[in-house]
Amino acid sequence: MNKFIFKFLLYIFILVVFFGILEFVVFPNNNNQMTLKNELLKKKPEIEVLVLGNSHTFFGINPNESKFKMINVANKGRKLETDYYILRKNIKNLKKTNFVIIPISHYTLLAGDLSSKEKRLYFRFFKIEEYSQNLIKNYLLFNEPFRELIDGIFLKKKENHKEFISKLGWKPEEEVYNRNLKETKERIEAMEYGANDTVKISRNLIFMDSIIQLNGGKFKILFITPPYHKDYYKYSNKEYHNKIDDILRLKAARNENVIYVKGKSLNLNNDNYFKNSDHLNKIGAKFFTQKIDSILNLYL
């Protein structure tokens, strides 16, 4: 009986050690985009331009096209709140950073609370302590598909792979805009639903102000509304977009370290520049990055 109990406990111990290695060594160090971006923040102290934000900068700003030393640590669906926590955690490493770019997309000010999954991923991969949950929700092994957790451990993804991320954090998109007004209108409705939700807008403006105050004059913050396809502008909620424009103009007027760029003014109008109605593709990213470079040069 004692021998059986000993073997049973030994097997349990081996399993716990095995799962612990997976959870705390293997999964956090595979070649996923979050691991890459956190490593960029830690190992690129010489960067001059830091790109934060969501898919509009993740796809739209290519550091390889910039004349500045730039990294792109944006992620799809990133909320302004998370940008604040990432910037606050890493600000001590940004000693040579002159500019931080943050997109204010059509859904940025309408974002609500983070999902449990979002909190878990940013807690585990970016070490954002504010997103720590309970013991079960914090663990990747219990909550994420095993295939995704080991994807990229053994081989890095090549450039033609759909999940490829460049060494500086940019994701190239090859698709070209296919005019589908029904899809565009549905996309606008989904993104701008609740455009008059003053509670969510006020909450996100608090995080915007926190980002501005966090700066302390160490670098300039460039808030930019992304360039959208002309079809998007045609059918979007103009009153809501004017509200965003007014808010950002006022922030820039009141804070000498804030720059505001209206994406529409950059005149990126060619269909071949867009993946869909509100995201740039690989070609568009090249020209968008070059235009941003020109703007940044004016503030050096």
Side-chain angles (χ1 to χ4, degrees), residues 34 42 61 88 111 123-124 129 146 168 241 280 286:
M34 287 201 162
K42 292 192 296 184
I61 298 181
R88 188 179 73 175
F123 171 66
R124 292 306 304 278
E129 295 297 330
F146 186 77
L168 295 177
H241 284 273
L280 296 167
K286 175 181 178 180

Side-chain angles (χ1 to χ4, degrees), residues 53-299:
N54 50 42
S55 56
H56 291 108
T57 41
F58 186 22
F59 305 154
I61 298 181
N62 180 2
N64 290 318
E65 295 291 345
S66 175
K67 294 179 181 178
F68 294 93
K69 293 178 181 177
M70 176 190 290
I71 60 170
N72 184 332
V73 299
N75 286 109
K76 290 175 66 175
R78 172 87 58 77
K79 294 177 173 64
L80 201 58
E81 169 188 332
T82 308
D83 275 336
Y84 165 68
Y85 286 132
I86 289 175
L87 187 58
R88 188 179 73 175
K89 181 176 179 60
N90 293 279
I91 196 167
K92 62 182 180 297
N93 297 326
L94 305 177
K95 296 177 181 178
K96 296 186 178 181
T97 301
N98 298 315
F99 302 98
V100 173
I101 299 174
I102 300 177
I104 305 299
S105 306
H106 39 80
Y107 56 80
T108 298
L109 298 184
L110 301 176
D113 294 333
L114 273 74
S115 67
S116 178
K117 178 173 182 174
E118 288 176 304
K119 289 181 179 179
R120 177 168 50 256
L121 295 179
Y122 283 109
F123 171 66
R124 292 306 304 278
F125 291 108
F126 281 84
K127 314 301 181 187
I128 305 299
E129 295 297 330
E130 288 79 4
Y131 291 153
S132 177
Q133 302 173 90
N134 60 46
L135 290 177
I136 299 298
K137 289 183 178 180
N138 279 344
Y139 287 137
L140 298 168
L141 183 62
F142 296 152
N143 296 282
E144 304 299 329
F146 186 77
R147 181 180 175 279
E148 292 182 14
L149 291 172
I150 64 171
D151 188 27
I153 288 176
F154 304 107
L155 293 173
K156 290 188 176 181
K157 300 176 180 72
K158 296 182 179 180
E159 189 165 356
N160 59 355
H161 192 285
K162 66 178 182 178
E163 297 300 329
F164 170 78
I165 308 295
S166 77
K167 291 181 179 179
L168 295 177
W170 169 67
K171 187 177 189 308
E173 288 291 334
E174 301 288 349
E175 294 179 51
V176 176
Y177 182 66
N178 181 19
R179 196 164 191 261
N180 183 331
L181 294 184
K182 180 176 182 295
E183 182 181 286
T184 296
K185 291 177 182 179
E186 289 175 349
R187 190 175 185 85
I188 291 170
E189 184 177 352
M191 292 295 99
E192 297 179 6
Y193 175 77
N196 294 315
D197 191 331
T198 55
V199 174
K200 286 183 179 177
I201 292 173
S202 297
R203 180 177 182 275
N204 284 294
L205 286 177
I206 290 173
F207 283 107
M208 183 184 289
D209 288 335
S210 296
I211 289 172
I212 294 170
Q213 293 164 12
L214 182 66
N215 173 23
K218 294 181 179 179
F219 43 73
K220 293 188 180 296
I221 300 168
L222 189 153
F223 289 121
I224 185 165
T225 52
Y228 304 132
H229 189 274
K230 55 189 175 183
D231 288 341
Y232 196 101
Y233 291 122
K234 184 175 181 180
Y235 296 103
S236 61
N237 184 332
K238 293 178 176 58
E239 181 180 344
Y240 171 62
H241 284 273
N242 287 337
K243 180 189 292 187
I244 295 174
D245 186 53
D246 290 341
I247 288 171
L248 293 175
R249 287 183 186 280
L250 187 60
K251 298 294 182 187
R254 290 181 174 177
N255 299 275
E256 62 179 0
N257 292 313
V258 173
I259 305 166
Y260 166 48
V261 175
K262 188 174 183 179
K264 188 176 182 180
S265 69
L266 300 179
N267 296 317
L268 293 170
N269 300 319
N270 194 312
D271 285 4
N272 292 327
Y273 294 170
F274 289 85
K275 171 191 175 182
N276 53 36
S277 60
D278 63 309
H279 289 94
L280 296 167
N281 60 18
K282 185 176 181 178
I283 300 171
K286 175 181 178 180
F287 292 105
F288 186 38
T289 306
Q290 291 173 352
K291 285 178 178 286
I292 288 176
D293 262 24
S294 298
I295 292 167
L296 298 183
N297 276 320
L298 297 175
Y299 291 90

